[in-house]
Amino acid sequence: METPENKILSISFNQDQGCFAVSTEKGFRIFNSYPFKDTFQRDFDSGIGMATMLFRSNILALVGGGTHPKFPPNKVILWDDHQMKCIGELSFKSDVKGVKLRKDRVVVVLEQRIYIYQISDLKLLDVIDTFSNPLGLCALSPKDATVLICPDKKKGYIRVNHYDSSSSTEVKAHESSICAISISQDGKLCATASDKGTLIRIFSTDKNKLMQELRRGSDKAEITSISFDKNSKWLACTSDKGTVHIFSLSETHKIVYGSGEEIAEEAKNRVSLLNFMKGVIPYFSSEWSFAQLRIPDSKSIVAFGPADKNYIIAVSYTHLRAHETSLHLVCRLLLEKKKKKKKKKK
């Protein structure tokens, strides 16, 4: 049972989604994603608003939060938990909205500006101005090419930054404000959603081209997380509707990576019967999730388990728990539901 002392302030997966950090009014806790296990707890008796892990190392980026913050909310503390001390500090004129880490970068997100630093000496490398970004949206490729996706200065646009080639491009993603951004493990694909919460769009970061349009639903919702699997063949999202939607990216994978395997019929995204009219009415060009699963609480984030396990892990904010569900199990349940419906019609 959640109490004011252990109230969850934020949850974030590490770079490979193998574990996640939970920030509370008393400190932070680390959990293993698969199998789900409580592995570590650090009590400060003060609030941590954000705890960002650097893979599974002892280094975290901490930001104070809650009613009695451990650190000022306008500072990022690089914390070595083995030494139990701060090894670096970044201060800003306004509150920190988000932090991203990789082995060579620290990215700090403010409401209208993003700062990129070299992690070894905290040398400032770049500054990006953005549209109003109270959610602290930003996606950083965890390895290989250094690709950063963030809101652009114009509403509904994203900026795709390739630091290895020193290129930066603006891409129109939505008509309304961006509310969610995610990037694939290798940085070749990114996904965005607007504050309407009806559509998720998949873009190639190399060509800045729209590859796929996925429809969560037709009613407005707040999309709380989007996640690619390790091989960029699947995508999952959560929303305040308490539903996890699972989509296939098989066609996009074939185009971007030049290879792919045929997937079972039950694991293909659903399309409208009026799909032939997509050239006239864009609504019919969207693809619906091939499977959904309900979770008991509305606010949650989602990730995929190990590549060889085909597992989805949804973590609830309200009462900390992980819901491990096999992709194959979801497909099977979906098929069984369809069969039952057909029998009832007969």
Side-chain angles (χ1 to χ4, degrees):
M1 179 68 73
E2 185 179 70
T3 64
E5 291 75 25
N6 66 8
K7 180 183 177 184
I8 296 171
L9 301 177
S10 69
I11 305 175
S12 62
F13 284 97
N14 72 339
Q15 289 77 7
D16 62 9
Q17 303 179 344
C19 48
F20 58 93
V22 179
S23 305
T24 72
E25 289 277 6
K26 293 184 69 177
F28 65 87
R29 295 168 67 182
I30 306 298
F31 292 81
N32 196 64
S33 298
Y34 179 85
F36 177 57
K37 183 181 179 182
D38 189 346
T39 60
F40 180 78
Q41 183 169 331
R42 177 65 66 202
D43 284 337
F44 291 123
D45 287 324
S46 301
I48 297 296
M50 277 177 267
T52 304
M53 301 178 68
L54 180 59
F55 291 91
R56 288 180 179 266
S57 73
N58 52 300
I59 306 300
L60 298 95
L62 304 179
V63 179
T67 54
H68 301 288
K70 171 69 174 175
F71 308 109
N74 66 325
K75 287 187 177 183
V76 174
I77 304 297
L78 288 180
W79 179 263
D80 186 330
D81 204 71
H82 282 180
Q83 301 183 58
M84 279 288 291
K85 70 176 186 179
C86 168
I87 58 171
E89 182 179 309
L90 296 166
S91 299
F92 304 92
K93 293 180 180 179
S94 60
D95 289 356
V96 175
K97 301 296 183 182
V99 180
K100 299 292 180 183
L101 296 178
R102 53 180 274 161
K103 291 179 179 178
D104 56 353
R105 295 286 188 273
V106 179
V107 178
V108 181
V109 185
L110 308 184
E111 186 159 349
Q112 291 189 309
R113 186 165 288 179
I114 294 175
Y115 294 86
I116 297 93
Y117 298 88
Q118 192 165 280
I119 198 168
S120 57
D121 56 6
L122 298 184
K123 177 185 176 182
L124 182 63
L125 301 176
D126 195 12
V127 180
I128 304 171
D129 290 324
T130 69
F131 194 74
S132 179
N133 186 14
L135 297 175
L137 301 177
C138 178
L140 178 67
S141 57
K143 58 183 181 179
D144 302 326
T146 309
V147 185
L148 183 146
I149 315 293
C150 63
D152 192 38
K153 289 185 284 188
K154 293 187 284 187
K155 183 169 71 172
Y157 282 72
I158 56 171
R159 181 154 291 277
V160 180
N161 302 276
H162 288 267
Y163 284 98
D164 297 340
S165 59
S166 301
S167 65
S168 181
T169 309
E170 67 172 31
V171 177
K172 185 175 181 180
H174 302 272
E175 295 294 335
S176 55
S177 296
I178 308 293
C179 83
I181 298 175
S182 183
I183 194 166
S184 61
Q185 288 283 308
D186 59 7
K188 290 187 177 182
L189 295 174
C190 74
T192 65
S194 76
D195 56 9
K196 291 182 180 178
T198 53
L199 292 175
I200 296 171
R201 293 193 168 115
I202 311 298
F203 295 89
S204 160
T205 60
D206 289 334
K207 298 180 180 179
N208 303 311
K209 178 184 176 183
L210 176 64
M211 304 300 298
Q212 211 167 345
E213 186 175 89
L214 309 173
R215 183 167 290 277
R216 179 210 57 81
S218 55
D219 56 333
K220 187 172 181 177
E222 178 190 351
I223 291 182
T224 52
S225 72
I226 303 173
S227 179
F228 290 89
D229 81 312
K230 306 296 186 296
N231 300 314
S232 304
K233 293 182 178 179
W234 310 96
L235 182 136
C237 76
T238 55
S239 72
D240 60 355
K241 299 292 185 181
T243 306
V244 179
H245 290 264
I246 307 161
F247 300 89
S248 168
L249 302 180
S250 59
E251 295 305 314
T252 291
H253 190 276
K254 288 178 185 177
I255 295 169
V256 173
Y257 297 93
S259 64
E261 56 190 39
E262 288 300 318
I263 60 173
E265 191 65 33
E266 66 268 20
K268 290 183 178 180
N269 297 332
R270 295 175 295 124
V271 297
S272 170
L273 293 174
L274 300 177
N275 183 255
F276 65 90
M277 294 180 63
K278 61 185 180 181
V280 181
I281 305 175
Y283 177 89
F284 298 122
S285 65
S286 303
E287 299 174 35
W288 277 257
S289 56
F290 74 84
Q292 310 87 37
L293 60 106
R294 294 285 300 175
I295 50 180
D297 304 301
S298 58
K299 189 173 183 182
S300 60
I301 62 173
V302 68
F304 285 85
D308 61 336
K309 297 295 183 182
N310 282 323
Y311 261 76
I312 285 177
I313 299 103
V315 184
S316 164
Y317 263 71
T318 312
H319 303 292
L320 184 61
R321 58 169 73 89
H323 308 274
E324 297 175 357
T325 305
S326 167
L327 273 173
H328 298 310
L329 174 63
V330 172
C331 293
R332 190 165 69 248
L333 290 173
L334 191 66
L335 277 177
E336 288 174 358
K337 287 181 181 178
K338 288 180 178 177
K339 287 177 182 177
K340 286 179 181 178
K341 286 181 180 179
K342 286 179 180 179
K343 286 181 180 178
K344 286 181 180 179
K345 286 179 181 179
K346 291 178 180 179

